[in-house]
Amino acid sequence: MNPVKVMIVDDEVLAIEHMRQLIGWQSLGYEIVCTTTKPSQVTQLAREHRPELILMDIVMPGTDGLVLSRELLAEGLALKIVLLTSYKEFEYAKEAVKLGVSNYWVKHEMDAEAVKRELGGLREEIENQRRQRKNDQGRLLVGWLGGRPLTDPQWQAATGGSGTFDRFHLLVLQPDRAFPVLPGVSPEAPELPAEWPGEEEAVLLAAVRFLEGCFVLIYGDHGSRGEAKMRERLEEKAGEDRRRLEDATGGTVSVAMAYALLHREEVPQKLAEALKRLEQSFFVGPRQRLRLNELPAHEERRLAHWEWEEGLAGVRGFLADKKYEEASREAAQLFDQVGQARDRSVLADLCRQLIAALNRSRSACGLPSVAEAWAGGAVADADWTTFDGVCKLFLTEIQTVAAADAGMSAMSRKVRQAMEHMDKHYADPDLDADAIARQLGISRDHLRHLFKEETGMTVLDRLTDMRIERAKQLLDEGMYKIYEIAERVGFRSSQYFSQVFRKVAGMTPLDYMERRG
């Protein structure tokens, strides 16, 4: 826990030194950050050092502790103020309580043990106030960044009264996240620390965890610094802050930055642009550094469904016709089209529909569904955080289907025909070895012998696996009730379907659906 910052104010140097040496401040969780014998310096020092506890003599030349306390508390420059006096003055004490001063210590009564005891209670109160202030600041800042204006007093409260600045600078840091190609299977986004993992600085007005996905850092600056030096310093800060967050999350981080914003009202606008740019950085690659001041105006382009539906239909058709090279070329062109538009919503829809098409081809080749294959580690080395990686992932899947289909080509014509017939008619509850044999014009025993010899499975086992794989796909889609799925995959009884599903998958359909979330 960070030590409580302490300021000591007394017009006598010896009194300050006595208080400094009386106890081991650090061992109690306190740090003396500044002292002064001049009442005129108190407010400015408090603004610079942001003490959380001020110990202040109540009677000093030119002013008194009550007047200063009123000023400090009005400006929010201290969490706790304790007034010190050489004698008991109850009228002062009453006035101090009205103002909100925390306590009133008589100097000659405060030995080391008494000070330790008082500081122990104060620290707990300060910790509670810290948490409350941080929550209040966070609420104000998140609302402001989301577009809700702040009054000047609210701004001072949100930034801890950090003072006035001529310019503001924005840094938005976002961990590079895996694209949700297949929810429940795609790697989860790295977990952000609860608080900004860096040291506090006077020029850092706010460090806000925003929308659970990024950190927003706002720096203040005075116009005395030249633009070139200011930009150089912001570049340094971007590098330092990125390294801090990468160390905290264990992954790569992209950053968007904007400098020299003259009004605080500009910050939420730039943040909105930064979030859009960072969302699109997935299409370029990880560890991007986006300098918003230098980029052209953001133009958002949405692909209409008809613009890519023809290409998707082409991929489906080539897969169905087992023209895998053509399917790969068409898919690559389709991804290129979506990549140029940088449209994440279209990409998500495209991935979903390609997975459905691949599942049909995988099922015909005796392969598990895409979800099961990926969950089993088939794509453990895939790069989910870049557009090129996702594109490569799907092209590899098409090659996997092509290889499996090539293996099936080694089967006899009758076995291939049996597999194709099952793939087309698995939803028929009357489909069994006898029906397939009749369709192929061979005896049931001959079919059973050929099928077992060439696939290592019985006809019934293969048909059951195919039905359960299709049932899993329907459960993943979440559009049908269990009894409806049972009917759609060739079971007359939902109870019998559940028994078979449990035997094959190791869990009931309901458990499977709940696990998939």
Side-chain angles (χ1 to χ4, degrees):
M1 190 67 70
N2 294 332
V4 175
K5 294 187 289 186
V6 180
M7 177 181 183
I8 303 177
V9 182
D10 199 303
D11 62 321
E12 296 181 12
V13 174
L14 291 179
I16 291 176
E17 285 306 309
H18 170 73
M19 187 61 73
R20 189 195 294 274
Q21 302 298 327
L22 185 61
I23 58 171
W25 290 87
Q26 288 188 342
S27 65
L28 296 173
Y30 288 81
E31 177 188 6
I32 299 175
V33 294
C34 62
T35 64
T36 184
T37 60
K38 299 178 180 179
S40 60
Q41 295 179 346
V42 170
T43 302
Q44 186 57 38
L45 285 172
R47 288 173 182 156
E48 291 175 7
H49 295 279
R50 315 299 302 172
E52 295 162 295
L53 171 62
I54 298 178
L55 304 180
M56 182 161 51
D57 193 3
I58 200 168
V59 179
M60 293 179 287
T63 187
D64 64 38
L66 289 177
V67 173
L68 282 172
S69 296
R70 187 179 291 110
E71 293 176 3
L72 293 167
L73 291 170
E75 199 171 328
L77 293 177
L79 293 180
K80 295 289 182 182
I81 296 177
V82 172
L83 295 177
L84 308 174
T85 185
S86 299
Y87 48 90
K88 293 182 178 179
E89 287 195 329
F90 293 106
E91 289 305 315
Y92 267 125
K94 284 190 216 175
E95 184 65 23
V97 170
K98 288 180 184 177
L99 286 173
V101 171
S102 301
N103 212 335
Y104 183 92
W105 293 354
V106 178
K107 292 180 181 179
H108 67 266
E109 294 180 357
M110 300 304 293
D111 58 14
E113 291 305 314
V115 171
K116 288 179 182 179
R117 186 169 55 252
E118 291 291 335
L119 289 178
L122 282 170
R123 179 169 177 78
E124 185 176 345
E125 293 177 20
I126 289 172
E127 292 294 350
N128 290 334
Q129 283 187 263
R130 272 180 174 177
R131 285 189 288 271
Q132 184 59 49
R133 183 172 66 178
K134 186 172 283 293
N135 290 338
D136 292 343
Q137 289 174 337
R139 257 192 318 274
L140 286 170
L141 286 168
V142 168
W144 170 64
L145 291 171
R148 188 181 303 128
L150 293 182
T151 63
D152 287 340
Q154 287 176 325
W155 171 256
Q156 289 297 317
T159 58
S162 298
T164 58
F165 294 91
D166 300 324
R167 299 176 296 200
F168 300 94
H169 315 295
L170 174 70
L171 292 181
V172 185
L173 298 109
Q174 178 175 283
D176 297 312
R177 294 168 290 185
F179 189 81
V181 177
L182 190 60
V185 177
S186 304
E188 294 182 0
E191 186 174 350
L192 287 175
E195 297 181 357
W196 173 243
E199 298 298 324
E200 291 185 8
E201 303 174 66
V203 294
L204 179 60
L205 302 183
V208 183
R209 180 172 163 170
F210 192 67
L211 299 179
E212 300 302 318
C214 65
F215 269 105
V216 178
L217 308 184
I218 304 164
Y219 290 93
D221 181 37
H222 295 290
S224 57
R225 179 180 295 181
E227 183 172 329
K229 287 187 177 180
M230 175 196 67
R231 290 180 61 179
E232 181 181 350
R233 180 58 184 143
L234 192 63
E235 292 284 349
E236 291 175 1
K237 290 302 305 174
E240 293 168 5
D241 292 338
R242 170 151 64 187
R243 283 191 293 274
R244 284 175 180 166
L245 192 54
E246 286 180 338
D247 289 343
T249 60
T252 60
V253 171
S254 289
V255 56
M257 53 196 291
Y259 60 86
L261 305 177
L262 299 181
H263 306 286
R264 69 174 186 250
E265 292 79 8
E266 296 179 57
V267 176
Q269 299 169 10
K270 279 296 178 184
L271 172 61
E273 180 185 349
L275 293 176
K276 289 180 180 178
R277 300 274 191 182
L278 286 169
E279 184 179 73
Q280 290 190 336
S281 69
F282 163 80
F283 291 93
V284 183
R287 285 199 110 238
Q288 293 294 307
R289 183 177 293 202
L290 307 174
R291 299 170 178 86
L292 302 185
N293 297 67
E294 302 172 7
L295 294 174
H298 177 75
E299 294 184 7
E300 191 170 349
R301 178 177 183 269
R302 294 286 182 184
L303 272 180
H305 193 270
W306 60 266
E307 292 184 80
W308 56 276
E309 176 59 34
E310 184 178 350
L312 178 61
V315 175
R316 288 196 191 108
F318 287 133
L319 286 174
D321 294 339
K322 302 184 179 182
K323 296 179 179 179
Y324 301 111
E325 289 187 13
E326 292 87 341
S328 293
R329 281 197 298 270
E330 190 70 36
Q333 291 175 7
L334 195 53
F335 274 106
D336 184 59
Q337 184 182 7
V338 175
Q340 289 181 26
R342 298 188 180 185
D343 191 329
R344 287 176 67 100
S345 62
V346 167
L347 178 61
D349 197 12
L350 173 62
C351 290
R352 181 180 60 80
Q353 298 207 44
L354 282 177
I355 287 172
L358 283 166
N359 278 338
R360 286 191 288 271
S361 294
R362 292 176 68 91
S363 178
C365 295
L367 295 174
S369 68
V370 169
E372 285 199 315
W374 289 1
V379 290
D381 297 329
D383 179 8
W384 305 74
T385 62
T386 68
F387 175 72
D388 287 344
V390 170
C391 178
K392 183 179 178 181
L393 184 65
F394 278 93
L395 296 181
T396 300
E397 280 301 316
I398 293 175
Q399 294 169 9
T400 299
V401 172
D405 188 52
M408 286 187 64
S409 298
M411 297 178 185
S412 67
R413 184 168 59 89
K414 290 298 185 184
V415 170
R416 287 202 308 275
Q417 288 175 337
M419 297 275 275
E420 291 168 0
H421 189 74
M422 281 189 278
D423 186 50
K424 290 180 180 178
H425 302 283
Y426 64 85
D428 181 357
D430 294 323
L431 186 66
D432 57 14
D434 287 342
I436 296 170
R438 285 195 301 272
Q439 176 67 27
L440 299 181
I442 60 176
S443 71
R444 181 186 61 182
D445 290 341
H446 185 47
L447 173 62
R448 286 176 171 173
H449 174 74
L450 280 177
F451 203 92
K452 179 69 173 179
E453 185 177 88
E454 295 185 24
T455 68
M457 302 175 69
T458 67
V459 175
L460 179 59
D461 286 343
R462 176 68 189 114
L463 179 58
T464 299
D465 283 352
M466 191 175 289
R467 283 170 165 164
I468 298 304
E469 284 301 321
R470 180 57 182 148
K472 289 178 181 177
Q473 295 169 24
L474 294 172
L475 286 167
D476 288 338
E477 292 174 9
M479 297 172 60
Y480 304 101
K481 297 178 180 177
I482 291 176
Y483 76 86
E484 293 175 320
I485 292 174
E487 293 174 357
R488 284 175 174 268
V489 297
F491 288 87
R492 289 191 173 90
S493 162
S494 60
Q495 182 178 0
Y496 180 58
F497 163 67
S498 295
Q499 292 173 357
V500 174
F501 191 100
R502 182 170 187 171
K503 181 178 178 181
V504 175
M507 65 185 76
T508 66
L510 183 60
D511 290 339
Y512 179 87
M513 190 162 50
E514 290 176 349
R515 190 193 70 170
R516 302 294 300 165

